[in-house]
Amino acid sequence: LTILAGKTIPTPPPRANTDSISSVTVTNSDEARSGFQIVFQAGRARANFLDFPQLTNNQFKPNSRVQILVTLGVLPQVLIDGYITDKQLSPSTGAGGSTVAVIGEDISI
């Protein structure tokens, strides 16, 4: 699985972000809009204890482009190419339970 994101040209996100991915969901539809959701385990880094890195990374801001690809054999296949429409923080009272969900729709939006 490969995730690329960015304002103009999608590039791989920092390893700290990709290591914290807990799930990726892609929904393709021929009758409605296709979409995606990327859920990150959220935790504060020691260098930036005031905010979650997944919230401050400019690659995952609304209106940023996201491409999700899967590689089978040697050929990558695009699952979805779209834009981020929303970002949601789900805080937890326990350590390590907070998540950040990045939600988007197909480029046809």
Side-chain angles (χ1 to χ4, degrees):
L1 184 70
T2 303
I3 296 175
L4 305 172
K7 276 292 187 193
T8 54
I9 299 174
T11 58
R15 185 175 175 113
N17 283 36
T18 57
D19 286 349
S20 66
I21 293 174
S22 65
S23 69
V24 176
T25 306
V26 176
T27 305
N28 288 313
S29 174
D30 59 351
E31 296 178 5
R33 289 188 175 151
S34 298
F36 65 90
Q37 179 175 347
I38 305 168
V39 178
F40 298 91
Q41 289 300 115
R44 291 188 171 99
R46 289 183 187 186
N48 184 9
F49 63 89
L50 297 177
D51 213 342
F52 299 104
Q54 295 82 3
L55 292 176
T56 59
N57 184 344
N58 287 333
Q59 285 180 291
F60 293 111
K61 291 200 181 253
N63 298 321
S64 291
R65 191 164 180 182
V66 172
Q67 294 175 335
I68 301 174
L69 304 96
V70 65
T71 302
L72 301 171
V74 294
L75 296 174
Q77 300 292 318
V78 176
L79 295 178
I80 195 159
D81 185 358
Y83 289 100
I84 296 172
T85 57
D86 195 14
K87 190 177 345 182
Q88 299 173 350
L89 172 64
S90 297
S92 171
T93 55
S98 299
T99 60
V100 174
V102 173
I103 302 160
E105 292 189 20
D106 188 277
I107 200 165
S108 63
I109 188 173

